[in-house]
Amino acid sequence: MNQIHKPFRWAWSILVVCALAFAMGGCEGSDGATGPAGPAGAAGAAGNDGADGADGADGASATTIPLESCYVCHGQGSFMDATVAHELDPIEAVSNIEFGTANGGADLTVTFDVDFEVDGGLVPATTYDVVQRAYYNDGGFRADVRAFATLTNNGGGNYTITVAGAGAEFANNNRWLFRVQDDDQRQTRVYFYADWPANPGLGPVAVTAEDCAACHGPEGIPVHGSAFIASDGGEVCLTCHGSDHEHDGEIEPIPRLGIKVHAYHSGLALDSEGNPENITYPTYMSNCSVCHDDESGFLAAVNAMPVYGEGCLSCHGSMDNEYWDFSGGLGFHLTQPADIDCASSTCHSVGGAANLFVAVTDFHNGLNPEGDSRRGPIFDGIDVSVAEGERFDWQIDAIVDDGVDLTITWSASYDNIGVDPCNADVANGPVFFNGNTMRAYRSYAQGDDFIIGMRENDTSYPVTVNLTVDNTSCAGGFATTIIPVDDEVAERGRVVFGGKPQVLSDLIEPAATVGARVPSPAYDWLVGDGEMVARRDVVDSTKCVGCHVGSLYQHGGDRVDNVDMCLMCHNAAANEQDVRVSMGVDPSEAYDGKVGQSYELKTMLHRVHSANYRWEDGTYNAPFLVYRGRGIYAFAQEGVTPPNWDTTVTEGCTAEEIADGKSRVFGSSDTSGDKCEVHHLHAPTFPRSPNECTACHKPNFTVIPDQTISMANTVEVGSTADYREQNDDVLQGAAATACITCHYNAATKGHAYQNSWEPQEFEEGRQTIIDAAN
């Protein structure tokens, strides 16, 4: 407010000074009357033009002050608070459900309370006025009674549903399912279910609510018009699925829940018009423990499932032309209808022709999902690599930096018992590096981001040092690894160990050696000292792994399930422009029309997870492209391909490349060694709303990045002669990046750039931004 008043105070001061001057000028008497005007004087002679003056010096060019003002409007407590804008709709809670009768026992009544969960408390929901769904199931038949159901608003969030003519069901065991709705605000609606007087024999469903919520979150699964209450789990679904119902005058079965869920997660489900639903699944189906956890006992039940057509085909779709090689070399080509009970046939039964394959585990045990060596074998419905990883505790304990070497102390335990990190024989315990590849990754920070990699001529990548018997020794259960420090001016650095400990797993019969999927341990140290210093806490790795169980990408198999490892390479300076340059692809030829693409973590994850999301205005984000030397990766709306995306063109590709599924990269140079690559096109389906930030982020994380420590993104590499040179990079603000990587449209970009800056180069690179912000 003081800044607003300053101009007015200055103007008032001038007025006062002028008034005083006039007042002081006339102290010696009154002035006389004004006389008449005199005649006009003669015009004076014209003067000579003077010599031209010297040209003035060029003025200074306009300077952009690289400050982002996003926090002014979108900071916590401001009028457009970003945390408020991203809040989810309040979750409904239905309670105090009571059944009764009315109209002399002819009608059934259901009285209940509806509240919204707001800020940890409950607020009554008072605007519901329509019964949108009303079903009951007697244990085998689901009846639809919505035509007979009415809703009475009793006030204060209390309601009564009356089902005319259903009074007789008051005494019968049924599962009831209702959905009530605010008819004016159709997005406000809630499902709930209850058994009265008792469960009619439905269930239990073989998953827990927590298993589903790991991916789908607390908002529930948005099917059949709105989300079910997540805490109900799958039990509510059994009101319909697995029973018969009347449809168009015929009695028809409703698909069983397990069959339907398998079909969705395996990409086989069809919509009401018979078109594929195209649901993507973030892990792999043979790891049954992702949904059917062992603690509940459901996994054991699933493992004992006999072989039957409908169960197998719910994941595999069809057995047509599948070749099964049984022991003894007997092979079959199968065309398997879904309704055949294979377990009671002469094949998949004790004494049958396929007696070695009578349960689901007989097929799945020993599988390596997708044939990928980076993933563990499946045994009894579990990814053994993941299960073994959970038995480890592996950490970096301390670092000493004397300016010449880093002395890294680390340790590990297995089943809560300390192990010898230098052990070389898996029969005696886990093997870390002695006979197994283990690496130390090392990088340095500018601000709060580890963008100063030391790999020669490579954009921000860390250097690696293999752990060997020459640089690592052990004593008393601790390992000491000594590696050189780098000649780099930085306040702090990060070391992460990459690799999987090898362990003789007793989770497999017979026991076998597997690589345990242990999250890569990380340690941030103060350069020249070694003291641990913590980076800002933004993402929760366990939430990533909650969906991507055993499938979080590993880049060679040694970078495992820890976002602190991912940030070593996927940092603010990371850009794949060098790949496009090596391919000879310029912006006019690139699939996305760009010089290069940042694959910094928030950029990549925001763009990937929102790539196939339909926004409220009906639009989708443009495809997200990353060029790599091992393939071109595109993430886009279902059915949309990037411009010039033609994977049938193989001109210049070798026969071997074509056999590997590679095709010509559009615009690539004939002399490029990467001119032919596999083209990957994905339409990911994110199982939550994009504004559910806590699906990945920690609670209360800083939504608007702090520009004093959060580094701006490289959207174009300045120097292609040395990609490690960052001061000439074209930069985009960290806050702008956080927003426009989800809200990827021209209007949002324009707003973000207007309140920060258009992507550009700064004299001292990111240091210019840090200095301006401070």
Side-chain angles (χ1 to χ4, degrees):
M1 183 65 73
N2 288 338
Q3 295 297 320
I4 296 175
H5 284 172
K6 279 182 181 179
F8 293 99
R9 287 205 298 266
W10 177 81
W12 177 251
S13 300
I14 294 297
L15 179 61
V16 170
V17 170
C18 291
L20 288 173
F22 289 136
M24 294 173 65
C27 298
E28 297 182 0
S30 303
D31 293 336
T34 303
N48 296 325
D49 291 338
D52 291 341
D55 291 339
D58 291 340
S61 58
T63 301
T64 298
I65 301 176
L67 290 175
E68 295 184 288
S69 59
C70 309
Y71 196 85
V72 174
C73 295
H74 300 294
Q76 189 170 2
S78 61
F79 80 103
M80 286 292 287
D81 188 335
T83 58
V84 175
H86 286 86
E87 282 182 351
L88 299 171
D89 292 335
I91 299 174
E92 300 93 337
V94 178
S95 61
N96 302 323
I97 303 172
E98 296 183 2
F99 286 79
T101 58
N103 192 21
D107 303 333
L108 180 80
T109 61
V110 185
T111 302
F112 55 96
D113 293 328
V114 185
D115 297 287
F116 290 123
E117 297 179 6
V118 179
D119 296 331
L122 296 178
V123 176
T126 61
T127 61
Y128 291 107
D129 52 13
V130 174
V131 180
Q132 209 271 338
R133 290 281 191 273
Y135 302 130
Y136 72 90
N137 192 313
D138 63 4
F141 184 84
R142 190 219 68 185
D144 184 347
V145 293
R146 61 184 133 174
F148 310 101
T150 56
L151 181 67
T152 300
N153 188 337
N154 302 318
N158 181 259
Y159 299 87
T160 298
I161 294 174
T162 302
V163 184
E169 297 301 330
F170 179 78
N172 299 328
N173 290 339
N174 286 300
R175 174 163 295 179
W176 291 85
L177 171 66
F178 299 99
R179 183 170 77 181
V180 293
Q181 177 175 296
D182 181 333
D183 207 28
D184 291 329
Q185 303 291 328
R186 292 185 59 84
Q187 71 274 18
T188 305
R189 45 198 175 186
V190 58
Y191 276 104
F192 68 96
Y193 87 102
D195 293 333
W196 180 266
N199 186 342
L202 301 176
V205 67
V207 296
T208 66
E210 292 75 17
D211 293 328
C212 299
C215 268
H216 292 280
E219 291 288 305
I221 303 171
V223 294
H224 303 307
S226 65
F228 290 84
I229 297 174
S231 58
D232 285 341
E235 287 292 335
V236 61
C237 307
L238 297 183
T239 309
C240 300
H241 288 283
S243 296
D244 293 333
H245 74 137
E246 183 178 349
H247 180 67
D248 292 337
E250 301 289 335
I251 303 300
E252 297 179 353
I254 303 173
R256 282 186 284 178
L257 181 62
I259 303 303
K260 196 69 175 175
V261 171
H262 284 181
Y264 270 102
H265 287 159
S266 61
L268 299 173
L270 303 178
D271 61 21
S272 59
E273 298 179 356
N275 300 313
E277 290 278 8
N278 293 318
I279 303 297
T280 57
Y281 186 54
T283 179
Y284 39 92
M285 296 294 293
S286 54
N287 186 0
C288 303
S289 65
V290 173
C291 297
H292 308 286
D293 69 77
D294 195 32
E295 294 180 5
S296 64
F298 292 140
L299 181 60
V302 170
N303 286 338
M305 183 183 77
V307 175
Y308 68 101
E310 188 179 33
C312 297
L313 297 184
S314 66
C315 285
H316 292 282
S318 171
M319 295 297 184
D320 291 350
N321 301 318
E322 290 273 1
Y323 184 80
W324 301 94
D325 187 9
F326 301 111
S327 61
L330 181 63
F332 297 92
H333 289 283
L334 302 177
T335 300
Q336 175 66 66
D339 58 354
I340 288 184
D341 185 0
C342 308
S344 63
S345 69
T346 58
C347 292
H348 297 285
S349 57
V350 176
N355 60 79
L356 297 180
F357 298 90
V358 299
V360 64
T361 51
D362 296 331
F363 285 93
H364 288 178
N365 281 354
L367 288 179
N368 188 325
E370 301 182 18
D372 193 333
S373 61
R374 291 169 295 187
R375 298 184 175 130
I378 296 295
F379 196 86
D380 285 351
I382 293 174
D383 182 331
V384 176
S385 177
V386 173
E388 285 292 354
E390 293 171 350
R391 301 170 74 173
F392 278 85
D393 181 11
W394 182 21
Q395 70 231 341
I396 298 174
D397 300 292
I399 286 181
V400 175
D401 179 358
D402 62 6
V404 178
D405 293 317
L406 289 182
T407 301
I408 308 166
T409 303
W410 55 280
S411 60
S413 63
Y414 180 73
D415 285 342
N416 297 316
I417 299 174
V419 301
D420 177 11
C422 290
N423 174 49
D425 186 354
V426 74
N428 297 328
V431 173
F432 283 83
F433 71 93
N434 200 346
N436 179 39
T437 300
M438 197 74 68
R439 300 184 182 94
Y441 289 77
R442 182 175 70 253
S443 191
Y444 297 87
Q446 184 178 16
D448 206 25
D449 292 331
F450 295 92
I451 63 176
I452 309 174
M454 300 305 296
R455 193 183 301 183
E456 184 177 357
N457 198 32
D458 219 336
T459 309
S460 73
Y461 275 15
V463 292
T464 61
V465 178
N466 284 354
L467 274 61
T468 69
V469 294
D470 295 325
N471 60 24
T472 304
S473 59
C474 297
F478 288 90
T480 301
T481 298
I482 301 176
I483 61 177
V485 299
D486 299 289
D487 183 16
E488 180 61 46
V489 177
E491 182 178 345
R492 53 182 165 157
R494 168 171 288 177
V495 166
V496 181
F497 283 159
K500 292 196 188 79
Q502 301 295 299
V503 62
L504 186 63
S505 178
D506 57 11
L507 301 178
I508 304 174
E509 297 177 5
T513 300
V514 301
R517 196 175 176 111
V518 188
S520 301
Y523 190 104
D524 297 349
W525 89 93
L526 190 65
V527 171
D529 183 323
E531 179 185 353
M532 178 182 283
V533 287
R535 181 185 185 270
R536 66 188 187 276
D537 215 4
V538 179
V539 173
D540 187 343
S541 299
T542 61
K543 293 182 177 181
C544 304
V545 179
C547 258
H548 299 275
V549 181
S551 61
L552 209 60
Y553 198 59
Q554 297 176 83
H555 297 294
D558 70 333
R559 288 158 258 188
V560 183
D561 295 350
N562 184 358
V563 68
D564 290 335
M565 165 62 97
C566 303
L567 286 169
M568 294 281 277
C569 295
H570 293 272
N571 57 63
N575 192 291
E576 39 80 300
Q577 182 176 338
D578 58 324
V579 178
R580 302 187 188 208
V581 170
S582 70
M583 291 179 175
V585 175
D586 64 36
S588 68
E589 300 162 330
Y591 296 122
D592 56 3
K594 294 183 177 181
V595 173
Q597 173 62 58
S598 167
Y599 52 92
E600 177 250 1
L601 204 59
K602 68 174 175 288
T603 297
M604 184 178 72
L605 296 186
H606 285 183
R607 291 295 313 278
V608 167
H609 286 143
S610 65
N612 194 27
Y613 180 76
R614 184 178 184 273
W615 296 96
E616 290 184 358
D617 62 1
T619 62
Y620 290 79
N621 285 345
F624 174 65
L625 270 297
V626 178
Y627 282 68
R628 304 304 294 155
R630 53 183 170 272
I632 311 298
Y633 295 83
F635 302 86
Q637 174 191 350
E638 180 67 39
V640 170
T641 56
N644 301 314
W645 186 272
D646 186 351
T647 59
T648 65
V649 177
T650 57
E651 180 183 354
C653 305
T654 66
E656 182 179 1
E657 287 174 329
I658 296 172
D660 289 339
K662 296 182 178 181
S663 56
R664 184 65 181 258
V665 178
F666 184 80
S668 58
S669 168
D670 288 336
T671 60
S672 170
D674 295 328
K675 62 179 176 292
C676 297
E677 289 294 343
V678 177
H679 286 61
H680 307 270
L681 179 61
H682 302 282
T685 49
F686 187 54
R688 307 193 190 190
S689 172
N691 65 309
E692 191 175 343
C693 302
T694 54
C696 302
H697 289 282
K698 296 237 175 148
N700 302 317
F701 79 103
T702 304
V703 177
I704 307 294
D706 181 351
Q707 57 195 310
T708 65
I709 58 175
S710 304
M711 296 297 95
N713 273 53
T714 295
V715 297
E716 182 178 337
V717 176
S719 172
T720 57
D722 181 1
Y723 287 104
R724 285 195 60 233
E725 173 58 47
Q726 296 181 13
N727 280 353
D728 56 359
D729 287 358
V730 174
L731 301 176
Q732 177 177 273
T737 299
C739 297
I740 67 176
T741 48
C742 262
H743 303 283
Y744 193 78
N745 57 66
T748 307
K749 284 184 180 180
H751 174 77
Y753 293 157
Q754 184 180 23
N755 291 278
S756 58
W757 65 83
E758 293 276 350
Q760 60 188 271
E761 175 186 340
F762 296 105
E763 184 176 358
E764 296 183 5
R766 292 175 176 84
Q767 191 61 46
T768 303
I769 302 170
I770 296 173
D771 292 343
N774 283 313

